[in-house]
Amino acid sequence: MRPIITAFAASPDRGRGLARDSRVRWALEEVGQTYDVRYLSFAELKEPAHRALQPFGQIPTYEAGDIRLFETGAIILHIAETHGGLLPQEAAGRAKAINWMFAALSTIEPPILELESTRFNDRDKPWGAARTVMAEDRIRTRLADLDGALGDAPWIAGAFSAADILMCSVLLRIKGSAMLEEQPRLAAYLARGESRPAYQRAFADQLAVYQRLMAAKG
Ligand code: GTB
């Protein structure tokens, strides 16, 4: 069954692949699953029709038959469980990859979100600079530990897996920052993820939405 996902009609990231539908697109491209996209305005996100699918009024969502999901991690786990190639078959390897999927979302991404929130909300506050330094320190600590766990391996949990889709997608948020460049193995890991043809297709598809929007505006 061809799934339908949702995405921003006008993504605030201007096609940089940071909105979370990109993660889902990447997973679908990796497994060769074609899909449709329903594009939503900010107003439509908060309307009852969308909230029936996504209680928090956000993108992305995923619908395929009677499967209806609204958390990116759960969507990618579902894609990986229903298609080959994104999780190992054997139990220990599979559990390890799923563990790293959660680590990406629960351990690595939160301090990055905290930094983004501080930059956005607290920049002009008296505590803004100190909070920024604290958030950057937290990220540096997490990245050093992640670098230790990755070591010289190409991927975080054995063969390329759904864990790498999530981990690279999280690292994309700090791409080009000193924090990431200080960890050359992690920067190379992200570049490896970005160079995958499935990632390139997913990136191009979400960028095309922004380009069409700009062209329509003239
Ligand atoms: N827990 C949910 C999940 O992981 O699926 C969180 C989903 C989420 O944060 N969705 C965001 C959203 O719909 C878009 S992706 N926000 C609208 C709202 O809450 O009203 C997060 C995002 C947005 C924008 C950028 N950007 O501009 O760079 C990057 C990431």
Side-chain angles (χ1 to χ4, degrees):
M1 171 153 316
R2 189 177 161 101
I4 304 169
I5 67 168
T6 51
F8 285 131
S11 182
D13 78 338
R14 302 194 304 273
R16 288 184 299 142
L18 299 177
R20 291 180 191 221
D21 60 292
S22 291
R23 303 173 182 195
V24 176
R25 291 174 188 267
W26 185 3
L28 289 165
E29 291 289 348
E30 287 285 352
V31 300
Q33 173 65 61
T34 57
Y35 59 98
D36 293 311
V37 185
R38 191 161 62 242
Y39 293 100
L40 299 170
S41 66
F42 289 102
E44 285 168 331
L45 282 183
K46 306 302 175 191
E47 283 172 9
H50 184 63
R51 280 191 192 271
L53 265 179
Q54 217 295 5
F56 309 105
Q58 298 180 312
I59 60 98
T61 57
Y62 175 100
E63 297 154 77
D66 57 359
I67 304 284
R68 294 151 72 93
L69 300 171
F70 64 82
E71 277 295 329
T72 307
I75 294 169
I76 291 178
L77 182 56
H78 175 73
I79 294 167
E81 284 185 326
T82 51
H83 300 76
L86 287 183
L87 283 176
Q89 292 291 323
E90 66 59 51
R94 194 176 183 90
K96 180 178 178 179
I98 292 172
N99 191 60
W100 276 107
M101 291 176 71
F102 279 86
L105 299 177
S106 303
T107 303
I108 305 297
E109 190 162 42
I112 295 174
L113 293 177
E114 186 189 337
L115 177 63
E116 286 177 6
S117 162
T118 300
R119 284 181 176 154
F120 191 73
N121 298 311
D122 298 337
R123 199 180 29 229
D124 302 329
K125 310 272 170 39
W127 60 85
R131 228 186 130 184
T132 300
V133 171
M134 273 174 54
E136 287 176 347
D137 280 351
R138 278 198 198 107
I139 294 171
R140 283 192 163 91
T141 302
R142 289 284 189 253
L143 293 185
D145 291 342
L146 177 62
D147 176 70
L150 180 68
D152 292 316
W155 305 113
I156 194 64
F160 177 84
S161 73
D164 299 298
I165 293 179
L166 286 174
M167 193 62 83
C168 286
S169 297
V170 165
L171 295 180
L172 266 175
R173 303 183 84 125
I174 50 167
K175 182 181 172 180
S177 71
M179 295 173 290
L180 189 61
E181 296 308 316
E182 285 159 14
Q183 300 289 352
R185 290 191 299 195
L186 292 184
Y189 168 62
L190 174 57
R192 231 171 359 261
E194 287 181 288
S195 72
R196 291 181 70 83
Y199 174 81
Q200 301 277 323
R201 289 194 295 275
F203 183 86
D205 285 350
Q206 64 78 37
L207 176 61
V209 180
Y210 177 70
Q211 289 172 333
R212 279 196 296 273
L213 187 73
M214 289 300 104
K217 282 187 177 166

